[in-house]
Amino acid sequence: MSTPPQTDRFGLSSVLENIAATTLKHLRQGGYVSEDEGEALLTTYRSKLGSNTSPAPDFLHFIAETQAQKHTLTVDGEVARMQKVLRSSLNDRVHYWTFGPLSGKPSSLYDHCPDLRRICTVLRCPATLAGETSIVHVASINPVTALVASFLIGQELGRASEGESPFIFTFLTDLPSWQTLMQRHFA
């Protein structure tokens, strides 16, 4: 995967679709949704991506809102259920952040590399520089999104610093923490 030439919502729509398809694949394998349910969710999500509503919803949040209407759980409860399935499927490559806000200033990474603000905004994945440019923290409610964002951030920073790759740590957060981070980073 490489960074698309356009880093706006429409330039990254194929990345968002791939994240959705991969997330759905893992949710199916984990027994969270059936094949038919998954296809219906993916079709509805793709139509949302094609509409002019901005910004595009995170796929996991989109599913949680839809499934919470069917089940007796809250949206937050649905997110937690799906995160458990995804984390077990991804072999804990994304750690759960449970202790306060991410370290680093919300604007530090985006000031250092402005293209990353657009990428992180579209992917709905807040990121910070922790220290100079050698450590980056990336957070999301969707571990698949966090991994993709980490990869794209690594590519952009490697290009900006002539090949020196930072250490990138991906974190999963609960829904309220993610919403707070989204507000702080992209309001």
Side-chain angles (χ1 to χ4, degrees):
M1 176 186 294
S2 63
T3 308
Q6 285 187 297
T7 54
D8 63 355
R9 177 177 170 190
F10 297 104
L12 290 169
S13 64
S14 65
V15 173
L16 291 170
E17 283 190 39
N18 286 335
I19 288 170
T22 302
T23 301
L24 190 58
K25 179 185 91 173
H26 290 289
L27 290 173
R28 280 184 196 136
Q29 289 172 349
Y32 181 79
V33 293
S34 69
E35 186 79 29
D36 292 339
E37 281 179 310
E39 283 308 312
L41 288 167
L42 193 54
T43 300
T44 306
Y45 182 73
R46 283 183 177 140
S47 70
K48 278 195 174 289
L49 287 180
S51 71
N52 289 330
T53 10
S54 196
D58 177 86
F59 185 64
L60 201 75
H61 191 237
F62 167 77
I63 292 175
E65 287 178 331
T66 304
Q67 295 295 90
Q69 295 171 6
K70 291 181 180 181
H71 302 139
T72 58
L73 287 177
T74 62
V75 173
D76 198 14
E78 289 293 338
V79 167
R81 283 182 62 206
M82 287 185 285
Q83 286 176 334
K84 185 177 180 180
V85 170
L86 292 168
R87 282 192 75 215
S88 71
S89 178
L90 295 169
N91 299 320
D92 292 332
R93 292 192 312 188
V94 178
H95 305 284
Y96 200 79
W97 185 277
T98 58
F99 42 91
L102 291 176
S103 61
K105 295 187 310 186
S107 62
S108 58
L109 178 67
Y110 315 128
D111 291 343
H112 178 71
C113 191
D115 283 343
L116 289 178
R117 178 181 295 276
R118 288 189 302 275
I119 291 170
C120 290
T121 300
V122 171
L123 295 181
R124 309 202 36 85
C125 207
T128 63
L129 283 175
E132 294 178 16
T133 58
S134 60
I135 299 173
V136 177
H137 293 160
V138 179
S140 180
I141 56 171
N142 185 343
V144 175
T145 304
L147 291 170
V148 169
S150 296
F151 178 78
L152 295 175
I153 288 167
Q155 276 192 329
E156 285 295 311
L157 288 176
R159 207 179 353 254
S161 63
E162 299 171 7
E164 290 185 36
S165 296
F167 292 102
I168 301 175
F169 298 96
T170 54
F171 295 102
L172 199 58
T173 65
D174 61 14
L175 183 60
S177 298
W178 176 73
Q179 290 169 327
T180 301
L181 283 170
M182 291 296 296
Q183 183 67 30
R184 282 184 45 211
H185 283 245
F186 310 122

